[in-house]
Amino acid sequence: MKLSFAISLLVAASFAAYAQTAMPRMASVDPMNGKVGDVLVITGENLTKDSVAKLYLTDGTNDTLVDITEQTATTIKFKIPAKAKPGRLALMVLTTGKDPKLIEQPVKVTVDEQ
C-alpha cells in the first residue's frame, strides 16, 4: 500500500511538472539602442505567444507597453513606442497562464533622444 501511494505521488508530480510552461528567457537584443519607431529584435527561448502575453520597457518604476510586431519561439520583434522615455531601460515580460507574472529580463535597451 505504501509503495503504490509513493508511485501515485511521483506520477502526479511528473504531470504537474510537465504541465508547467517553460519560462521565457531573453539573451540579447539587436540593436542595443534605438529611437522611437525603430524595430529591435530580441533573441532567447520560450518567447512564443503561449509564454509571453505582453512586453514592456521599464526603468523599474515606469512600465511602457511596446508593440510586438513578430513573435516566434526564439525571437520577438518590437517597435519602440512614442511613450518611451530616453535612457537605459530593461525589458520585462508578462507571462501567460493561470498565474501570469511580470518578469524583468537581464537584457537592456537604450532609447535615444529624437
Side-chain angles (χ1 to χ4, degrees):
M1 183 87 156
K2 289 181 183 180
L3 182 58
S4 65
F5 180 72
I7 291 172
S8 297
L9 282 177
L10 287 173
V11 169
S14 66
F15 278 123
Y18 182 76
Q20 291 178 347
T21 57
M23 293 304 254
R25 187 186 68 81
M26 296 177 181
S28 65
V29 63
D30 186 47
M32 294 177 66
N33 65 312
K35 294 181 180 178
V36 169
D38 288 353
V39 175
L40 283 66
V41 181
I42 299 164
T43 56
E45 48 191 43
N46 305 315
L47 301 177
T48 64
K49 291 179 183 179
D50 292 337
S51 298
V52 176
K54 294 183 181 183
L55 178 65
Y56 298 88
L57 291 171
T58 183
D59 63 6
T61 303
N62 302 303
D63 306 333
T64 305
L65 181 65
V66 303
D67 181 30
I68 295 174
T69 60
E70 191 176 316
Q71 194 169 0
T72 69
T74 58
T75 63
I76 293 178
K77 290 184 181 180
F78 72 96
K79 189 180 290 189
I80 298 176
K83 294 179 183 179
K85 303 279 189 233
R88 190 161 164 82
L89 305 170
L91 291 162
M92 181 171 65
V93 297
L94 176 64
T95 61
T96 59
K98 292 180 183 178
D99 187 24
K101 295 187 181 349
L102 286 168
I103 303 173
E104 190 171 322
Q105 299 290 311
V107 177
K108 306 277 189 205
V109 171
T110 300
V111 176
D112 298 327
E113 302 250 356
Q114 287 292 351

